[in-house]
Amino acid sequence: MEPVFPFDLDLPARGAGRIARDLHQQLRAAILEGRLVAGAVLPATRRVATALGIGRNTAVTAYDLLIAEGYVLPRVGAKPVVAEIAQRRLEKARTARAIDRKNWLNDSWRATPGLTTPPGILPPRSFRLGLPEHRYFPHAIWRRLVANALRRQARSGFAYGPSEGIPELRQAIAQHVAFARAVACNADDVIVTSCAQQAFALLALKLITQARRLVAVEDPGYPALRFAMSAAGAELAPTPVDEEGLIVDRLPPGVRIICVTPSHQSPTGVALSLRRRRALLDYARRHDSVIIEDDYDGEFRYGARPLDALQTLDRDARVFYVGTFTKSLFPELRKGFIVAPPWARGAIVEAKYVVDSHSDTVVQMALAAFIRDGHLARYVRHMRGVYAERRAALIEGIEVQLADWVKLIPAEAGLHMAARFLRRRDAAMILRAAALHTPGAVPLTNYAVSRDVAPGIVFGYGVIDAGEIGPAMLKLRRALEKGDRSI
Amino acid sequence: MEPVFPFDLDLPARGAGRIARDLHQQLRAAILEGRLVAGAVLPATRRVATALGIGRNTAVTAYDLLIAEGYVLPRVGAKPVVAEIAQRRLEKARTARAIDRKNWLNDSWRATPGLTTPPGILPPRSFRLGLPEHRYFPHAIWRRLVANALRRQARSGFAYGPSEGIPELRQAIAQHVAFARAVACNADDVIVTSCAQQAFALLALKLITQARRLVAVEDPGYPALRFAMSAAGAELAPTPVDEEGLIVDRLPPGVRIICVTPSHQSPTGVALSLRRRRALLDYARRHDSVIIEDDYDGEFRYGARPLDALQTLDRDARVFYVGTFTKSLFPELRKGFIVAPPWARGAIVEAKYVVDSHSDTVVQMALAAFIRDGHLARYVRHMRGVYAERRAALIEGIEVQLADWVKLIPAEAGLHMAARFLRRRDAAMILRAAALHTPGAVPLTNYAVSRDVAPGIVFGYGVIDAGEIGPAMLKLRRALEKGDRSI
């Protein structure tokens, strides 16, 4: 029989009064030690009595004592629950117990989450980065596809999924990425991951060795990528970025792994020029390096002529193409992928098996159907129009209103744009004013490794309407005109 | 405007016939190089003509040439698609391109997935391990909760989730695990992971250092746990297991991290005795070690008196309790958790941020509701009855039918039982016969590190009915009686 409490009770037979007190004391200890937590529903006294072979009144007496002391709350027509007060006392007990053992931890690497502001602090419509629009997403279609996938699962039985992803999703991603981004691949080359971040972690785990630990990263660049590399033992070689993207000539010698965002550099937004793309592939050939191509925001391009992906230009099986559905669909989906050269595929699948076995099969089924049925292509096409309008409003806002303070960095893709400060000394003033009038915008230097990165500001337009951008920029301008002191 | 093909076309103006041939050749090249993959839908000729500024007949001619050559398949009333034949040619081209670079990979660790048989090879009802029953799962309720969570998301907008998990799920897990397993915790102590496997990987990433790399694992024990430790740089110290679980006296000196499955040792099924539990905590205190308690299958206990978890007995903040919903709900859910001591919490959340940012928020919301509304407790209670019946049938089957060949290892929990061979020389014969008559059962030595592990066989009862177990055991017995040669 199932035990009535999840711990042992010791109630020697000796008069109902003594038993009630024993029970009361042992339950109270369980609450104080956290074996029964605040909000836990206690079993009915009738069940307690039967299970423990005691009188029901004895159980009622024990409960009454707990209620009298405030450990347990009675509820009308429902079983009593453990009270919050107990929780607070417990917190103290636990803190006392917790020996400081921070020196126990591996601090050869650290990560600082929270580059972007946590939800709840910014207004829902803001200039925050990296978050896509949800208003035009076909929620009802997605709900239907998820329900279909769950029904399929209910019919077929439970199963562990393949570490590399389910075949239908790998096939759908291969077709999508081949068509949308001209990436040369088929289903076998695709490994499904939990977003781009896991893709970085898997590649780091299998590519970095003691002998090959110098990893080039863009400066400024995406911090979480750097954390993933460092956690796997990398030594970072921050490499500067200009208006043509990563400055290939500045790559130090001996770099064996190069991380790059060619479509839309993160965070400056510039595209890696064709000249640089060829130079980078040439560097890789000469130094026997591999390239991790993060096609960050690559779905949303506004120019007529997208440049070929590095993966497309590569004739030497050196490029790992990393894609994600975080921006083209939504972050909670947690789905990204690697298009890997054949020589490395098996090893990356192994890494995926080791870090979390496989990704959620039901969501994979729904996503495969969403792509296959054309919803993704349609949605991206629609959103490209929506974002293009916002981008135009942002360019106009920056160029018309803020021309005295900043200079826009040209960008043809993505969901954000960056601008550099004309005068370094304005930086603090502009950032303070922006915090008030364009909330969510962040300093470019948040992404910097070295102090050489020119300061600037990055505006996202994923969750702000085109019509709100101009007025916000006007307010920002007025604040800047009033000058430093009044802000 | 959105480009009509995802790559550049070069069509100098020079007579419609030449343009048609240029277009045909460039599309064919795109197909051969994998920039257009099998199954990709080509744009309508009308759209191609408008986008490229050519006559529609020119586009039709180019398509007709591709169709004539078999690169493209026409479809009645639908746009043509890229054919499979192209895919096969592409495969050749890609293989030729792929330089062998296996020596590029970090082979300081390897993992061999596929300990259990992949789906599709075993019949749906079998003795396979680690898979729970799906027949009694409240699929409709789960579908409703997922749909509710998706509706909530549609209303609130997209967001990145917290790396440690959403508060409502951490709260629900704390209450569940405190009540069901007497684990002393509250919501702050809980970190949501993608199953137990990710929990192991996160703990390995933050606990193993150069100076602290000796990690004790049970022998026999769960191989994927060993892979996760090795991938983070561990040196393994396999430690034998007997009928009381991990033999604490056999832990070598200098072990700083001890991985153990106390409820139901994986794979032998034995419980760690209370004496050993105390000895293990004492060892940890004396050697300043930490313990990773994998409460594998802990939800399904059949005895009246579950032993307290190590986490419950620990007074010294040394135990990391790892739980999963893989068996109590289903593996595709990909949800597990760590109950961590306060000193290590922040570091583990950092590790989670680095490896995949956060887990799927929608599924977390649905799971929180499933637990909070009592469905989990109800379902586990029901399944305990179902599994108990199967377990009884398995014990009877082994003891009545197979007593001449094997001896059951007593186990009070979980979804499988193990038996040791009475004579080592029978091993091959029994395993061959079992492959035929009790498909899914696996050799105990599949889990072994050293050669000292006594051979045996493990039978799962997650996906087989009680009524099927006896007849299968009878068949196995008859095969064994006929002896070695006839099998």
Side-chain angles (χ1 to χ4, degrees), chain A residues 256-277:
Chain A
R256 303 299 296 278
I257 299 166
I258 305 160
C259 302
V260 63
T261 51
S263 289
H264 180 233
Q265 202 272 330
S266 170
T268 65
V270 302
L272 191 66
S273 68
L274 190 57
R275 198 164 62 98
R276 290 268 177 88
R277 283 170 201 242

mmCIF file of all heavy atoms in Angstrom, chain A residues 256-277:
data_model
loop_
_atom_site.group_PDB
_atom_site.id
_atom_site.type_symbol
_atom_site.label_atom_id
_atom_site.label_comp_id
_atom_site.label_asym_id
_atom_site.label_seq_id
_atom_site.Cartn_x
_atom_site.Cartn_y
_atom_site.Cartn_z
ATOM 1 N N ARG A 256 42.389 28.064 -34.631
ATOM 2 C CA ARG A 256 41.921 26.856 -35.309
ATOM 3 C C ARG A 256 40.414 26.826 -35.427
ATOM 4 O O ARG A 256 39.865 26.041 -36.203
ATOM 5 C CB ARG A 256 42.425 25.618 -34.552
ATOM 6 C CG ARG A 256 43.938 25.572 -34.402
ATOM 7 C CD ARG A 256 44.660 25.519 -35.747
ATOM 8 N NE ARG A 256 44.338 24.293 -36.461
ATOM 9 C CZ ARG A 256 44.940 23.124 -36.236
ATOM 10 N NH1 ARG A 256 45.901 23.028 -35.351
ATOM 11 N NH2 ARG A 256 44.600 22.049 -36.917
ATOM 12 N N ILE A 257 39.741 27.638 -34.629
ATOM 13 C CA ILE A 257 38.282 27.686 -34.691
ATOM 14 C C ILE A 257 37.886 29.159 -34.770
ATOM 15 O O ILE A 257 38.332 29.965 -33.945
ATOM 16 C CB ILE A 257 37.655 27.018 -33.454
ATOM 17 C CG1 ILE A 257 38.072 25.543 -33.382
ATOM 18 C CG2 ILE A 257 36.129 27.154 -33.468
ATOM 19 C CD1 ILE A 257 37.805 24.878 -32.049
ATOM 20 N N ILE A 258 37.092 29.513 -35.781
ATOM 21 C CA ILE A 258 36.712 30.905 -35.984
ATOM 22 C C ILE A 258 35.192 31.011 -35.914
ATOM 23 O O ILE A 258 34.484 30.365 -36.684
ATOM 24 C CB ILE A 258 37.202 31.403 -37.367
ATOM 25 C CG1 ILE A 258 38.714 31.185 -37.503
ATOM 26 C CG2 ILE A 258 36.837 32.873 -37.573
ATOM 27 C CD1 ILE A 258 39.193 31.175 -38.944
ATOM 28 N N CYS A 259 34.700 31.831 -34.993
ATOM 29 C CA CYS A 259 33.255 32.015 -34.852
ATOM 30 C C CYS A 259 32.881 33.341 -35.500
ATOM 31 O O CYS A 259 33.458 34.384 -35.169
ATOM 32 C CB CYS A 259 32.855 32.040 -33.384
ATOM 33 S SG CYS A 259 33.342 30.547 -32.500
ATOM 34 N N VAL A 260 31.882 33.325 -36.373
ATOM 35 C CA VAL A 260 31.580 34.514 -37.157
ATOM 36 C C VAL A 260 30.079 34.596 -37.445
ATOM 37 O O VAL A 260 29.405 33.569 -37.535
ATOM 38 C CB VAL A 260 32.441 34.507 -38.449
ATOM 39 C CG1 VAL A 260 32.105 33.318 -39.320
ATOM 40 C CG2 VAL A 260 32.365 35.803 -39.218
ATOM 41 N N THR A 261 29.555 35.836 -37.539
ATOM 42 C CA THR A 261 28.136 36.061 -37.863
ATOM 43 C C THR A 261 28.074 36.833 -39.183
ATOM 44 O O THR A 261 27.950 38.053 -39.171
ATOM 45 C CB THR A 261 27.440 36.859 -36.743
ATOM 46 O OG1 THR A 261 28.217 38.036 -36.451
ATOM 47 C CG2 THR A 261 27.297 36.066 -35.478
ATOM 48 N N PRO A 262 28.166 36.143 -40.321
ATOM 49 C CA PRO A 262 28.361 36.840 -41.597
ATOM 50 C C PRO A 262 27.129 37.592 -42.117
ATOM 51 O O PRO A 262 27.285 38.659 -42.698
ATOM 52 C CB PRO A 262 28.735 35.720 -42.576
ATOM 53 C CG PRO A 262 28.927 34.495 -41.751
ATOM 54 C CD PRO A 262 28.187 34.698 -40.493
ATOM 55 N N SER A 263 25.932 37.085 -41.897
ATOM 56 C CA SER A 263 24.738 37.730 -42.461
ATOM 57 C C SER A 263 24.489 39.089 -41.841
ATOM 58 O O SER A 263 24.068 40.026 -42.504
ATOM 59 C CB SER A 263 23.485 36.899 -42.187
ATOM 60 O OG SER A 263 23.494 35.750 -42.937
ATOM 61 N N HIS A 264 24.705 39.158 -40.556
ATOM 62 C CA HIS A 264 24.254 40.303 -39.788
ATOM 63 C C HIS A 264 25.065 40.246 -38.511
ATOM 64 O O HIS A 264 24.679 39.591 -37.553
ATOM 65 C CB HIS A 264 22.759 40.125 -39.508
ATOM 66 C CG HIS A 264 22.143 41.235 -38.725
ATOM 67 N ND1 HIS A 264 21.423 41.007 -37.579
ATOM 68 C CD2 HIS A 264 22.124 42.563 -38.922
ATOM 69 C CE1 HIS A 264 20.982 42.166 -37.109
ATOM 70 N NE2 HIS A 264 21.389 43.118 -37.906
ATOM 71 N N GLN A 265 26.196 40.935 -38.533
ATOM 72 C CA GLN A 265 27.119 40.795 -37.406
ATOM 73 C C GLN A 265 26.420 41.152 -36.099
ATOM 74 O O GLN A 265 25.699 42.147 -36.019
ATOM 75 C CB GLN A 265 28.357 41.678 -37.628
ATOM 76 C CG GLN A 265 29.594 41.231 -36.836
ATOM 77 C CD GLN A 265 29.665 41.826 -35.445
ATOM 78 O OE1 GLN A 265 29.181 42.928 -35.209
ATOM 79 N NE2 GLN A 265 30.230 41.083 -34.503
ATOM 80 N N SER A 266 26.661 40.336 -35.099
ATOM 81 C CA SER A 266 26.054 40.586 -33.794
ATOM 82 C C SER A 266 27.099 41.263 -32.916
ATOM 83 O O SER A 266 28.139 40.676 -32.659
ATOM 84 C CB SER A 266 25.630 39.255 -33.175
ATOM 85 O OG SER A 266 25.260 39.432 -31.841
ATOM 86 N N PRO A 267 26.887 42.538 -32.537
ATOM 87 C CA PRO A 267 25.671 43.340 -32.602
ATOM 88 C C PRO A 267 25.681 44.469 -33.645
ATOM 89 O O PRO A 267 24.687 45.161 -33.756
ATOM 90 C CB PRO A 267 25.655 43.975 -31.217
ATOM 91 C CG PRO A 267 27.111 44.263 -30.972
ATOM 92 C CD PRO A 267 27.879 43.154 -31.643
ATOM 93 N N THR A 268 26.788 44.679 -34.373
ATOM 94 C CA THR A 268 26.807 45.896 -35.206
ATOM 95 C C THR A 268 25.843 45.825 -36.378
ATOM 96 O O THR A 268 25.440 46.848 -36.911
ATOM 97 C CB THR A 268 28.224 46.167 -35.767
ATOM 98 O OG1 THR A 268 28.579 45.102 -36.655
ATOM 99 C CG2 THR A 268 29.255 46.294 -34.669
ATOM 100 N N GLY A 269 25.488 44.613 -36.824
ATOM 101 C CA GLY A 269 24.535 44.480 -37.907
ATOM 102 C C GLY A 269 25.156 44.448 -39.298
ATOM 103 O O GLY A 269 24.458 44.172 -40.275
ATOM 104 N N VAL A 270 26.448 44.718 -39.440
ATOM 105 C CA VAL A 270 27.047 44.748 -40.779
ATOM 106 C C VAL A 270 27.130 43.332 -41.351
ATOM 107 O O VAL A 270 27.140 42.347 -40.618
ATOM 108 C CB VAL A 270 28.468 45.375 -40.764
ATOM 109 C CG1 VAL A 270 28.420 46.788 -40.202
ATOM 110 C CG2 VAL A 270 29.438 44.521 -39.947
ATOM 111 N N ALA A 271 27.166 43.265 -42.685
ATOM 112 C CA ALA A 271 27.330 41.976 -43.356
ATOM 113 C C ALA A 271 28.809 41.790 -43.681
ATOM 114 O O ALA A 271 29.506 42.746 -44.008
ATOM 115 C CB ALA A 271 26.503 41.943 -44.632
ATOM 116 N N LEU A 272 29.268 40.548 -43.578
ATOM 117 C CA LEU A 272 30.646 40.247 -43.973
ATOM 118 C C LEU A 272 30.711 40.361 -45.495
ATOM 119 O O LEU A 272 29.949 39.698 -46.201
ATOM 120 C CB LEU A 272 30.997 38.824 -43.514
ATOM 121 C CG LEU A 272 32.459 38.399 -43.595
ATOM 122 C CD1 LEU A 272 33.330 39.193 -42.625
ATOM 123 C CD2 LEU A 272 32.592 36.907 -43.312
ATOM 124 N N SER A 273 31.621 41.204 -45.993
ATOM 125 C CA SER A 273 31.688 41.431 -47.441
ATOM 126 C C SER A 273 32.153 40.167 -48.156
ATOM 127 O O SER A 273 32.769 39.286 -47.545
ATOM 128 C CB SER A 273 32.650 42.580 -47.746
ATOM 129 O OG SER A 273 33.974 42.179 -47.425
ATOM 130 N N LEU A 274 31.862 40.092 -49.439
ATOM 131 C CA LEU A 274 32.238 38.906 -50.214
ATOM 132 C C LEU A 274 33.756 38.724 -50.202
ATOM 133 O O LEU A 274 34.269 37.612 -50.058
ATOM 134 C CB LEU A 274 31.719 39.026 -51.658
ATOM 135 C CG LEU A 274 31.841 37.744 -52.485
ATOM 136 C CD1 LEU A 274 31.125 36.585 -51.820
ATOM 137 C CD2 LEU A 274 31.298 37.956 -53.889
ATOM 138 N N ARG A 275 34.470 39.855 -50.345
ATOM 139 C CA ARG A 275 35.929 39.843 -50.280
ATOM 140 C C ARG A 275 36.410 39.178 -48.975
ATOM 141 O O ARG A 275 37.262 38.297 -48.964
ATOM 142 C CB ARG A 275 36.376 41.308 -50.298
ATOM 143 C CG ARG A 275 37.788 41.585 -50.654
ATOM 144 C CD ARG A 275 37.918 43.072 -50.992
ATOM 145 N NE ARG A 275 37.578 43.934 -49.858
ATOM 146 C CZ ARG A 275 38.481 44.477 -49.032
ATOM 147 N NH1 ARG A 275 39.762 44.258 -49.216
ATOM 148 N NH2 ARG A 275 38.104 45.252 -48.043
ATOM 149 N N ARG A 276 35.825 39.596 -47.865
ATOM 150 C CA ARG A 276 36.210 39.043 -46.564
ATOM 151 C C ARG A 276 35.802 37.573 -46.441
ATOM 152 O O ARG A 276 36.498 36.788 -45.814
ATOM 153 C CB ARG A 276 35.546 39.842 -45.430
ATOM 154 C CG ARG A 276 36.088 41.242 -45.264
ATOM 155 C CD ARG A 276 37.226 41.298 -44.261
ATOM 156 N NE ARG A 276 37.777 42.638 -44.182
ATOM 157 C CZ ARG A 276 37.311 43.586 -43.370
ATOM 158 N NH1 ARG A 276 36.309 43.355 -42.541
ATOM 159 N NH2 ARG A 276 37.875 44.775 -43.368
ATOM 160 N N ARG A 277 34.638 37.254 -47.025
ATOM 161 C CA ARG A 277 34.220 35.849 -46.971
ATOM 162 C C ARG A 277 35.262 34.960 -47.626
ATOM 163 O O ARG A 277 35.663 33.924 -47.092
ATOM 164 C CB ARG A 277 32.854 35.662 -47.662
ATOM 165 C CG ARG A 277 31.708 36.140 -46.804
ATOM 166 C CD ARG A 277 30.378 36.193 -47.523
ATOM 167 N NE ARG A 277 29.521 37.119 -46.780
ATOM 168 C CZ ARG A 277 28.372 36.789 -46.180
ATOM 169 N NH1 ARG A 277 27.878 35.587 -46.306
ATOM 170 N NH2 ARG A 277 27.715 37.684 -45.488
#
